[in-house]
Amino acid sequence: MTLRRTLTLTTHADAARADREANWAKTPQERLAEVEFLRAQRYPGGTPPRLQRVIEFVERPRR
């Protein structure tokens, strides 16, 4: 039994185009499932932390 490996060299533009074509070939449900999979990997505990909204008033000296 022999193992053969093939190395294909491409440019960044060609790789980006191939990625775009592969993504657009998927159904919207498949793309959404991938997003949910990546979100579950990044935030295993559930929802991501929310940004905190802070309002701070600063008095500027009068000229």
Side-chain angles (χ1 to χ4, degrees), residues 6-19:
T6 304
L7 177 64
T8 305
L9 300 176
T10 61
T11 65
H12 290 288
D14 289 341
R17 185 174 13 88
D19 286 344

Side-chain angles (χ1 to χ4, degrees), residues 3-57:
L3 177 64
R4 290 187 177 193
R5 295 182 184 202
T6 304
L7 177 64
T8 305
L9 300 176
T10 61
T11 65
H12 290 288
D14 289 341
R17 185 174 13 88
D19 286 344
R20 270 194 312 277
E21 289 172 0
N23 284 333
W24 283 110
K26 297 176 185 173
T27 66
Q29 292 80 11
E30 289 173 326
R31 291 195 298 268
L32 185 59
E34 283 190 26
V35 169
E36 293 298 331
F37 173 74
L38 293 173
R39 183 180 295 154
Q41 282 184 329
R42 178 69 175 97
Y43 303 107
T47 60
R50 299 291 180 188
L51 293 176
Q52 208 174 26
R53 293 182 182 169
V54 178
I55 297 176
E56 183 176 338
F57 294 96

